[in-house]
Amino acid sequence: MGGAPVPAPRGRRGGTRQRPPSRRRRTDGRTAGRTDGRPGTARDGGTRRAGQKRQGKNGGKGRRRALRWTATVLSLLILATGAAGYLYYEHLNSRIKKDRLTLGRTMPGHKANAAGQTPLNILVIGSDARNSKENQQLGGAKETFNSAPLADVQMLIHLSADRSNISVVSMPRDTMLRIPECADPKTGKVHPASDWVQTNESLGRGGAGCTVATWYELTGITIDHFMMIDFAGVVSMADAIGGVPVCVKQNIHSRTPTGEGSGLRLAAGTTPIQGEDALKWLRTRYGFGDGTDLARTRAQHMYMNSMVRQLRKNTKLSDPVKLRKLAEAAIDALTVDEGIESVKKLLDIGNELKDVAPERITMSRIPVDYSKRPGFTGKVEPIPGEAENVFRMIREDIALDGKDAKDGKNGKGTKGGKDSAGGKGSEDGKKPGAAAQDPAAAPAEIGVLVRNGTGGDGALPQRGRASEVSALLQGKGFTQAVADTAVDPRKATLIRFSNVELEGDAQAVAKALGIPLTSVRKSTDVTGIELTVGADWRLGSAFPEPQVSNKTPESANALRGDQGGCMDVQPGFTW
């Protein structure tokens, strides 16, 4: 499609003569997006004679693009209504539900690339809200009716600055993390910060803006927009597509002896699904893989990839009445941030996404591992080094498919030298990492001042990080460790000591936390021992292994958009 929908003329107003039916604009998808009455070019969606082919080296490939159906639907709806088009366009605008983008800290803007382009980050949230009759029928679980909604699906869509690739990062529903303080904009209720809760609870603490704030708190990634959809929205969108092929290796029935499960029932092989079956696929946990939320995330990625391929294969939607009903159903099911002020803005975003080829779309998840903490069996938490590496790649606009990745030696990754340790080297000329001459004192006798430097990569500091690391030291016997309120932004964690007698003590601190001795430096800028927690250690209790490659870690479970596959079925859920 070309640009945004153009309101049809209102007929005889101000001397403007309405075109006779035979001369009215076509509504078959070949109309130009211009407003001056002149034909457009093939480039901007202009008219072409029947049978005329698009020229150029790509031939006819550009005619079928992912998400083009969205623009087709709404353009047809608006143009096909003739003189009433403008009123209907405003009608759709009035039905878009909006909410605040973030209920947490203000996010900084994006840094432009050499061409002046900036990336686009959209957080897609799937709500399990059961606050309407339709959603209650689809969602079941009567005991949860009208309770606080949960963000059971969370996917960050990153469109690169040059618009060449898309990276999607999912957060499993069972991820345990810190949720920042959020104030409900409707009720004014303040939900205090919680340090170790399940990520899907963020939605019930004031709305989607709290989920956005939670993502930013964890990742440091600036989020431009959110789009939240509920059960009914998933069903209507699946119906609009006309069926999405999915595949399972064995027959599956997602139902436990106690009645839990989505109810999905499919025969082995590939089956096109839509409507409620699509919703069941996206919600299935019991029966896929190992029966955990990680397997469900994989199934969601397979569905989305298949959906994109299906849209590119067949995007013909020709029933205006059906399209109108579907568009209204989708609008009713959608909640967006206040920056998406109109249907036109939604179309603009769709047009930005549509031209990325499936092979440059990468589905992944936040690298997580099962929690070892008592009482949290089955829950997962981010793997500090690997998760931060994925976050950094998104922040630095590095494609997760590896096709434009450059390692640290080429200047785009984490490098050694001044930035890696935040200093100029040891002031006494001693080679960093050499063992200290004097032995260390007992941990309880070593004083350590801990500062937060996690904002050293341009993101806002990870709130409370100095307190978290000082608590870690205290737990290891360094009872004199204290957190400083001052921030000292650095890309990499650094331990400095003021005189040679403290070198052994400083190295003991490093060894206790797993920090390399090369990050221990003598400096006259400090008094005693100071530990600055850098942007390379935003998360976790273990210092991460250094990441010098911009390759997506295996734990992200990446899947390209042009890759198919079948889901493994969990034993006991076959028929």
Side-chain angles (χ1 to χ4, degrees):
M1 291 293 296
V6 180
R10 293 197 183 192
R12 291 181 169 237
R13 288 194 180 182
T16 302
R17 185 176 64 183
Q18 187 173 15
R19 294 189 180 110
S22 62
R23 297 178 59 192
R24 290 182 184 170
R25 290 185 180 182
R26 301 180 62 117
T27 59
D28 59 2
R30 290 181 285 163
T31 302
R34 307 178 64 117
T35 58
D36 57 6
R38 295 183 286 115
T41 64
R43 178 72 175 173
D44 64 19
T47 56
R48 296 194 302 273
R49 291 187 298 274
Q52 182 180 350
K53 295 183 179 180
R54 189 184 301 270
Q55 301 299 314
K57 65 180 181 180
N58 292 325
K61 292 182 180 178
R63 291 177 295 176
R64 293 176 177 175
R65 299 292 188 184
L67 302 182
R68 178 180 169 187
W69 67 272
T70 305
T72 303
V73 169
L74 296 175
S75 296
L76 282 172
L77 289 173
I78 293 165
L79 294 175
T81 52
Y86 179 78
L87 295 178
Y88 184 65
Y89 175 74
E90 290 300 312
H91 166 69
L92 285 180
N93 282 340
S94 68
R95 292 173 67 159
I96 296 180
K97 297 186 291 293
K98 304 171 189 175
D99 214 335
R100 287 180 55 184
L101 174 62
T102 178
L103 300 181
R105 293 179 285 172
T106 301
M107 295 175 287
H110 295 292
K111 182 179 179 180
N113 63 14
Q117 303 163 310
T118 55
L120 179 67
N121 293 326
I122 304 168
L123 185 63
V124 176
I125 304 169
S127 167
D128 80 337
R130 295 171 172 86
N131 53 2
S132 70
K133 183 177 180 180
E134 188 173 12
N135 281 326
Q136 288 171 355
Q137 291 175 342
L138 293 169
K142 293 182 179 180
E143 67 277 8
T144 65
F145 286 5
N146 299 312
S147 59
L150 299 172
D152 276 353
V153 177
Q154 301 176 36
M155 295 184 180
L156 180 68
I157 299 176
H158 172 81
L159 177 62
S160 65
D162 64 4
R163 302 312 190 243
S164 68
N165 65 86
I166 292 174
S167 297
V168 180
V169 182
S170 291
M171 184 184 297
R173 183 200 68 172
D174 295 334
T175 303
M176 306 301 292
L177 42 61
R178 182 183 190 275
I179 297 180
E181 178 183 293
C182 295
D184 192 319
K186 297 182 177 64
T187 66
K189 180 180 178 180
V190 176
H191 299 268
S194 300
D195 285 329
W196 191 248
V197 292
Q198 194 163 304
T199 181
N200 63 349
E201 293 184 19
S202 60
L203 187 59
R205 301 188 178 204
C210 192
T211 304
V212 170
T214 301
W215 269 79
Y216 183 67
E217 189 85 5
L218 175 69
T219 68
I221 298 171
T222 293
I223 296 173
D224 302 289
H225 299 292
F226 75 76
M227 297 181 185
M228 182 169 65
I229 194 166
D230 58 14
F231 292 147
V234 171
V235 171
S236 65
M237 301 301 278
D239 285 339
I241 297 167
V244 174
V246 295
C247 180
V248 288
K249 292 183 178 179
Q250 300 89 26
N251 298 344
I252 183 174
H253 186 206
S254 176
R255 188 68 73 197
T256 69
T258 57
E260 296 175 294
S262 69
L264 178 71
R265 185 181 178 91
L266 293 175
T270 301
T271 305
I273 58 173
Q274 63 187 96
E276 291 189 43
D277 283 337
L279 178 63
K280 290 176 181 178
W281 175 277
L282 295 171
R283 297 181 66 200
T284 294
R285 181 179 68 173
Y286 298 113
F288 280 156
D290 59 359
T292 69
D293 196 50
L294 302 187
R296 170 162 50 190
T297 300
R298 181 73 170 182
Q300 291 169 352
H301 291 168
M302 285 186 171
Y303 178 89
M304 291 185 67
N305 282 342
S306 180
M307 179 182 68
V308 170
R309 293 193 298 270
Q310 189 71 6
L311 289 169
R312 292 172 66 89
K313 178 180 177 182
N314 181 15
T315 59
K316 184 178 180 181
L317 299 174
S318 57
D319 186 342
V321 175
K322 180 180 180 181
L323 294 177
R324 176 171 180 162
K325 291 180 180 179
L326 289 171
E328 290 185 347
I331 290 293
D332 287 344
L334 195 67
T335 300
V336 297
D337 65 277
E338 294 169 336
I340 302 177
E341 71 280 356
S342 64
V343 172
K344 177 184 179 300
K345 182 67 174 181
L346 281 172
L347 289 175
D348 289 344
I349 292 174
N351 284 332
E352 292 237 62
L353 297 170
K354 71 178 183 180
D355 288 334
V356 179
E359 59 267 23
R360 293 305 314 274
I361 299 174
T362 304
M363 299 284 177
S364 68
R365 68 166 183 248
I366 292 176
V368 295
D369 199 0
Y370 290 104
S371 177
K372 306 296 192 300
R373 306 192 189 200
F376 291 96
T377 302
K379 306 302 181 184
V380 298
E381 54 184 295
I383 302 171
E386 297 178 10
E388 174 55 27
N389 191 47
V390 171
F391 303 154
R392 179 186 58 79
M393 290 175 70
I394 297 295
R395 292 196 302 266
E396 297 181 6
D397 196 27
I398 299 169
L400 294 185
D401 63 9
K403 292 186 178 180
D404 65 357
K406 296 180 177 62
D407 63 26
K409 295 179 182 178
N410 290 328
K412 289 193 70 176
T414 302
K415 300 170 63 178
K418 179 178 177 180
D419 285 342
S420 67
K424 299 178 182 179
S426 182
E427 294 182 357
D428 56 7
K430 184 177 179 180
K431 183 179 179 180
Q437 295 290 333
D438 294 335
E445 299 175 6
I446 300 175
V448 186
L449 184 67
V450 183
R451 285 186 172 177
N452 189 345
T454 55
D457 57 356
L460 288 177
Q462 183 78 13
R463 187 177 296 176
R465 191 60 178 149
S467 296
E468 292 175 354
V469 174
S470 62
L472 286 175
L473 281 171
Q474 291 171 10
K476 295 178 181 294
F478 293 84
T479 54
Q480 295 189 49
V482 295
D484 191 4
T485 57
V487 295
D488 183 14
R490 292 183 180 272
K491 288 185 178 181
T493 299
L494 177 67
I495 299 175
R496 293 177 290 177
F497 57 94
S498 58
N499 56 70
V500 70
E501 290 80 10
L502 296 175
E503 184 176 15
D505 296 349
Q507 290 189 357
V509 172
K511 292 176 181 178
L513 296 174
I515 299 172
L517 294 186
T518 52
S519 296
V520 179
R521 307 288 176 81
K522 181 177 181 295
S523 174
T524 56
D525 293 334
V526 301
T527 300
I529 298 174
E530 288 191 8
L531 163 60
T532 303
V533 186
D536 59 345
W537 195 19
R538 294 177 65 92
L539 303 168
S541 57
F543 188 78
E545 291 292 328
Q547 299 288 338
V548 295
S549 172
N550 288 333
K551 294 181 179 179
T552 306
E554 291 291 331
S555 56
N557 204 19
L559 180 70
R560 285 203 324 264
D562 61 340
Q563 292 177 322
C566 299
M567 283 298 298
D568 291 313
V569 176
Q570 186 181 11
F573 289 87
T574 58
W575 52 273

